[in-house]
Amino acid sequence: MTNQARHTPTLLVHGGAWAIPADAAAAHEAGVRNALETGYKILARGGTALDAVEAAVTVLEDDPTFDAGRGSFLTSDGRVQLDALLMDGGRMKAGGVACVERLRNPIQAARLVLEQSPHVYFVGAGAEQFAASHGMALIDNGELVLDRERERLTAAQAREAAGLADITFSGHILHDDKSPETAFPHRAPMDSHDTVGAVALDAEGNLAAATSTGGTLNKTPGRVGDSSLIGCGCYADNLSAAVSLTGWGEPIMKLVLGKWATDRVAGGTAPEVAAREAIAYLFNRLEGHGGIILLGPDGRFGLAHNTPAMAWGLATPAGLHTGLTA
Ligand code: ASP
């Protein structure tokens, strides 16, 4: 018997689920493709799922197209505050940071937490200090802030002052043309969901997941969403599945939706079905909206969203694919 890999290396990434406008579509697909190329190189040479998702999410954090790292949405007081989580489904180790303002790549800080700390989660100045004490550079928050986002914040605050914040979604009415179960005209209280995430299966059969975000536009400083909370916006366990979500964080948190979806895979539901069921549950239970990527230990995967679009990409030995709807 040779010691051949028994698992098909697979990487799935997303770059948010919302009404991605036509003039932003190419940037979203290009960003997702860059992330796939970087992450899949690691898997293709026998690297770990954990390294692949960290590398893919680092590329997405560095790309100002997305709501992660530089270019993220701003808090109500005009700052970037970042949350990220990384989970290794083989070792059942996790690392998370939230409300960090001085780190260019919070997913790398999350990796340090996972590897170097007996704890799982750090917030704010403590998270920054932990990262700095392990060699990460602390930057000025202004380096993460784009003029584009200052303008977006000003517009959102003007809408809020006019009492319109709850009835607009960048001018788009959300709808789902995929599933009659979740078809709806729905009005959402925020502009878009450009959070990034990745799930991977490596040749050794280990699963990993990573999610990184700047959170929601005009959020109150200190607010933490689903993305970096274990079992909400991110989860991985070799005995069930790996998942990353994007969308309206508060409903996703209340349903612990990532764990809900992976538990269904553990119970025998195919990931493609569990992904659709999770998004249907999100809407039917709490009128939430968002998107999900879900990957099982056998390489089967699911994608679903109830927003007009979701930027996603898939890499396997058969090649790379990207898309803007599931
Ligand atoms: N889920 C993120 C949050 O609520 C936002 C997003 O997905 O874009 O912080």
Side-chain angles (χ1 to χ4, degrees):
M1 272 287 273
T2 53
N3 197 16
Q4 280 176 340
R6 287 171 297 126
H7 300 270
T8 304
T10 304
L11 175 65
L12 197 53
V13 306
H14 73 78
W18 57 295
I20 300 169
D23 62 1
H28 278 74
E29 280 209 72
V32 158
R33 178 166 288 273
N34 287 339
L36 282 180
E37 282 167 356
T38 300
Y40 198 70
K41 251 184 231 157
I42 293 169
L43 290 181
R45 61 166 191 256
T48 66
L50 189 64
D51 283 344
V53 295
E54 180 189 349
V57 166
T58 295
V59 169
L60 293 164
E61 286 177 339
D62 287 340
D63 185 334
T65 304
F66 302 100
D67 178 31
R70 183 168 168 271
S72 286
F73 292 150
L74 302 182
T75 57
S76 56
D77 62 356
R79 301 174 69 77
V80 164
Q81 253 186 17
L82 304 168
D83 310 331
L85 185 87
L86 191 64
M87 189 152 179
D88 179 339
R91 292 181 290 162
M92 286 305 280
K93 292 187 75 149
V97 296
C99 297
V100 293
E101 299 189 350
R102 303 185 61 201
L103 299 173
R104 192 168 287 281
N105 291 110
I107 201 67
Q108 294 177 2
R111 178 67 184 264
L112 287 171
V113 174
L114 184 152
E115 300 291 358
Q116 311 276 346
S117 169
H119 308 304
V120 165
Y121 203 83
F122 286 80
V123 298
E128 290 164 358
Q129 261 158 31
F130 177 84
S133 72
H134 289 81
M136 281 186 77
L138 294 185
I139 60 168
D140 190 275
N141 191 255
E143 290 184 39
L144 302 171
V145 177
L146 298 188
D147 283 344
R148 178 193 73 198
E149 295 307 322
R150 289 195 181 95
E151 285 160 22
R152 212 198 289 255
L153 178 65
T154 303
Q157 292 182 335
R159 283 201 306 275
E160 188 178 55
L164 296 173
D166 284 338
I167 58 167
T168 60
F169 186 85
S170 297
H172 302 275
I173 300 296
L174 294 175
H175 68 281
D176 177 7
D177 50 14
K178 294 278 168 206
S179 151
E181 259 179 322
T182 56
F184 64 99
H186 183 55
R187 291 159 187 257
M190 55 196 74
D191 262 274
S192 71
H193 302 294
D194 249 345
T195 287
V196 304
V199 292
L201 173 69
D202 63 32
E204 299 299 320
N206 288 308
L207 288 168
T211 307
S212 182
T213 190
T216 48
L217 174 61
N218 198 23
K219 68 184 179 183
T220 303
R223 176 262 188 193
V224 177
D226 63 300
S227 307
S228 68
L229 298 183
I230 292 189
C232 298
C234 185
Y235 195 74
D237 181 349
N238 282 7
L239 299 185
S240 56
V243 67
S244 175
L245 284 118
T246 177
W248 185 8
E250 280 70 11
I252 294 171
M253 290 154 76
K254 289 178 212 168
L255 298 176
V256 197
L257 195 58
K259 183 71 163 60
W260 187 94
T262 60
D263 282 349
R264 289 186 97 79
V265 177
T269 305
E272 56 271 34
V273 175
R276 287 199 299 272
E277 287 179 350
I279 295 300
Y281 176 44
L282 176 64
F283 180 71
N284 293 337
R285 184 73 183 94
L286 292 175
E287 296 197 343
H289 57 261
I292 184 171
I293 57 176
L294 183 62
L295 176 64
D298 57 359
R300 287 180 75 169
F301 64 90
L303 303 165
H305 58 99
N306 61 0
T307 49
M310 176 167 80
W312 63 270
L314 170 72
T316 66
L320 264 54
H321 305 273
T322 61
L324 290 179
T325 90

